[in-house]
Amino acid sequence: MDQIFLYDGNCEFCKNLAKSLERKTDASISFISFRSLTEDQLSKIHPNLNVKVCESDVQFIEAGVRYPGFFAVRSILWKHQTIKYLNIFLYLPLVPVFGMAAMYVLKRFKSNS
């Protein structure tokens, strides 16, 4: 498994995000709820992964590099054939700050409703 997207299977926002990305991206990405993995399995995927890290943000691991939260989504969108070139706007100054804030708020709001 060279490309893995880890999400919180107990969080509706995370599950919906994973389903949406899975439908729209390259089939070579494995979408896995980290809740189905042990701490040991997480650390084998990437040495910085554990339950606490995965509870805070979705994670995308590609070729040994870990992208958390907004950066995970931004990295995966390059694999979306229709909108990948619009993804360049996510690299503009301050967009990552707003993107991280939006992901934080959406996760907290959606998981509590």
Side-chain angles (χ1 to χ4, degrees), residues 43-57:
S43 67
K44 285 180 182 172
I45 293 171
H46 192 277
N48 294 343
L49 286 179
N50 58 48
V51 170
K52 188 147 180 86
V53 168
C54 291
E55 283 177 334
S56 66
D57 278 316

Side-chain angles (χ1 to χ4, degrees), residues 50 77 89:
N50 58 48
L77 288 178
F89 294 110

Side-chain angles (χ1 to χ4, degrees), residues 89-100:
F89 294 110
L90 297 179
Y91 289 83
L92 292 173
L94 297 179
V95 171
V97 173
F98 292 115
M100 290 184 301

Side-chain angles (χ1 to χ4, degrees), residues 1-110:
M1 286 194 252
D2 198 34
Q3 300 177 352
I4 301 171
F5 184 83
L6 295 170
Y7 63 95
D8 185 345
N10 293 345
C11 168
E12 285 303 312
F13 172 72
C14 299
K15 283 194 293 192
N16 291 334
L17 175 64
K19 284 179 191 174
S20 176
L21 290 172
E22 187 172 21
R23 281 193 305 268
K24 298 173 183 173
T25 56
D26 189 323
S28 67
I29 301 171
S30 298
F31 290 82
I32 304 169
S33 168
F34 80 87
R35 300 282 181 189
S36 66
L37 303 173
T38 65
E39 288 273 351
D40 189 47
Q41 290 171 317
L42 287 171
S43 67
K44 285 180 182 172
I45 293 171
H46 192 277
N48 294 343
L49 286 179
N50 58 48
V51 170
K52 188 147 180 86
V53 168
C54 291
E55 283 177 334
S56 66
D57 278 316
V58 295
Q59 307 288 322
F60 179 54
I61 294 82
E62 181 177 40
V65 179
R66 181 176 69 91
Y67 301 94
F70 168 81
F71 302 102
V73 173
R74 183 173 76 174
S75 296
I76 285 182
L77 288 178
W78 283 114
K79 293 149 186 19
H80 188 290
Q81 294 304 316
T82 310
I83 62 169
K84 71 180 180 181
Y85 298 109
L86 294 174
N87 194 27
I88 194 77
F89 294 110
L90 297 179
Y91 289 83
L92 292 173
L94 297 179
V95 171
V97 173
F98 292 115
M100 290 184 301
M103 294 253 330
Y104 177 82
V105 169
L106 286 170
K107 179 173 175 153
R108 298 314 178 265
F109 174 73
K110 292 288 187 180

